[in-house]
Amino acid sequence: MPASNPRNEPWSAVNTVASTTAGSNSSALSRNKLLDNLLRILTRSAAIAVLVMLGGVILSLIEGSLPALKTFGLSFVHTESWNPVTEKFGAAAPIYGTLMTSLIAMLIGIPLSIGIAIFITELCPPKLKRPISTAIELLAGIPSIIYGIWGLFVLAPLLQKYVQPVLINTFDGVPGLQNLFAGPPYGIGILTAGLILSIMVLPFITSITRDVFETVPPMLKESAYGLGCTTWEVVRHVVLPFTKTGVIGGVMLGLGRALGETMAVTFVIGNAHRISSSLLAPGTTISASIANEFTEADGELYTSSLIALGLILFVITFIVLAAARLMLARMRRAEGK
């Protein structure tokens, strides 16, 4: 037998270690590649599942709405009458109530939410920042039915006794505003529903606005303060321009909540299928109409009309979200220029 060469032993050991390391690296790479492929398949499947579910919802709404749409046609959208006895249905009153209550909620909720976010991020003492933020976030966790009960038994009587009579007397004889605040003070109505919705959307808009305000680089604000700017000027010329995209996103989230809210609105809006020029009069919304009447719908046309209301609400929500996306895209293009 040939004698082993001691000089080759270290090199053989090195080769053995190198081959072992290369094998382990190859195994690790194969395993990582397999995991990457698995992750890609799972995430793609999740995205496709969302699209499939959305498509299923759209198809089911269209299929369920066909009897009503074939019977009434486009008149279903602009007809106010809603009579299950004679099977005459129109969506004008629920559409009007949905849009008006959401508009009132946004007119009240957006300034309050942005103001609270500005106070928390710019003016609030450090000891109060966390308690106030926690209290705002807790509002989002209150069930909508609790808002409805509170609105019916607490807010509506207060409005009926103290607020609505003042509004009626103040705007009596004022052109343009007299009709908006006319009629007896019911307590419940479109204005009350809008106030409830403004409270419900406030925590969503406030939380998002506060978070995006905190992303502003401190150097920008300190530079503005160093130039002699006031807090209002810093907020107006530095904070809001830097975070306008996030603020609009928060507003759109709150608007989506206002458009689709059901139980709280059902308690306080009065559930009357009619259009009134007065905000103090009872009305209804699409979601409230569906929640109130779906279990009582005994005919095909009645059920189809309620499903058609759901389809209209879906279309309104889609239009709002699409408009928000277009607005954000234009803002990004303007910033790029």
Side-chain angles (χ1 to χ4, degrees):
M1 293 179 62
S4 61
N5 189 353
R7 293 182 179 181
N8 293 331
E9 292 180 357
W11 292 107
S12 62
V14 171
N15 292 332
T16 303
V17 173
S19 60
T20 304
T21 305
S24 60
N25 291 337
S26 177
S27 177
L29 290 174
S30 300
R31 184 172 61 254
N32 292 336
K33 185 177 180 180
L34 178 62
L35 293 175
D36 287 342
N37 292 332
L38 180 61
L39 177 63
R40 187 179 297 106
I41 293 172
L42 290 176
T43 53
R44 183 180 299 175
S45 300
I48 294 174
V50 171
L51 295 177
V52 169
M53 288 187 292
L54 181 61
V57 170
I58 296 173
L59 290 177
S60 62
L61 288 175
I62 294 176
E63 182 181 1
S65 304
L66 285 179
L69 297 179
K70 289 180 179 179
T71 303
F72 303 110
L74 292 178
S75 64
F76 180 79
V77 178
H78 56 78
T79 301
E80 182 181 351
S81 175
W82 187 274
N83 193 335
V85 177
T86 59
E87 291 192 333
K88 300 294 183 181
F89 301 103
I95 293 174
Y96 172 79
T98 300
L99 297 178
M100 287 303 298
T101 53
S102 300
L103 177 62
I104 295 172
M106 292 296 104
L107 290 177
I108 299 174
I110 291 175
L112 285 177
S113 301
I114 295 178
I116 294 172
I118 292 173
F119 175 76
I120 292 175
T121 56
E122 303 295 333
L123 302 172
C124 184
K127 292 183 179 180
L128 295 178
K129 183 176 294 188
R130 183 175 294 276
I132 294 177
S133 299
T134 303
I136 294 297
E137 292 172 356
L138 286 176
L139 289 176
I142 299 177
S144 59
I145 192 171
I146 302 300
Y147 281 108
I149 294 174
W150 175 80
L152 180 63
F153 292 104
V154 178
L155 181 62
L158 291 176
L159 294 176
Q160 182 183 23
K161 187 175 181 180
Y162 299 105
V163 178
Q164 292 184 356
V166 175
L167 293 175
I168 294 172
N169 295 328
T170 301
F171 295 103
D172 185 22
V174 179
L177 296 178
Q178 178 181 1
N179 294 330
L180 284 178
F181 302 99
Y186 293 106
I188 59 175
I190 292 178
L191 179 61
T192 307
L195 292 174
I196 289 291
L197 288 177
S198 67
I199 299 174
M200 298 182 68
V201 304
L202 187 144
F204 295 95
I205 303 177
T206 301
S207 298
I208 295 177
T209 306
R210 180 204 61 200
D211 291 340
V212 297
F213 281 176
E214 291 178 347
T215 63
V216 178
M219 184 180 298
L220 294 180
K221 295 190 288 185
E222 292 171 0
S223 299
Y225 284 122
L227 293 174
C229 295
T230 62
T231 302
W232 164 245
E233 291 173 333
V234 171
V235 172
R236 180 182 178 184
H237 298 292
V238 177
V239 176
L240 287 177
F242 189 87
T243 60
K244 57 185 176 182
T245 302
V247 173
I248 293 176
V251 170
M252 290 300 107
L253 178 63
L255 179 57
R257 174 70 187 273
L259 288 171
E261 179 53 42
T262 304
M263 294 307 301
V265 174
T266 303
F267 273 85
V268 298
I269 199 170
N271 302 304
H273 281 273
R274 64 173 180 266
I275 298 177
S276 175
S277 59
S278 176
L279 298 179
L280 308 183
T284 188
T285 64
I286 294 177
S287 55
S289 298
I290 296 174
N292 281 326
E293 304 183 29
F294 201 83
T295 56
E296 301 175 359
D298 53 358
E300 180 185 8
L301 190 58
Y302 193 1
T303 303
S304 177
S305 299
L306 292 174
I307 297 176
L309 288 179
L311 178 62
I312 293 174
L313 181 60
F314 182 90
V315 172
I316 292 174
T317 305
F318 178 81
I319 292 174
V320 169
L321 295 179
R325 297 290 297 180
L326 290 175
M327 183 187 303
L328 293 176
R330 290 182 178 179
M331 291 172 61
R332 292 192 184 99
R333 287 197 297 267
E335 291 175 354
K337 294 179 182 179

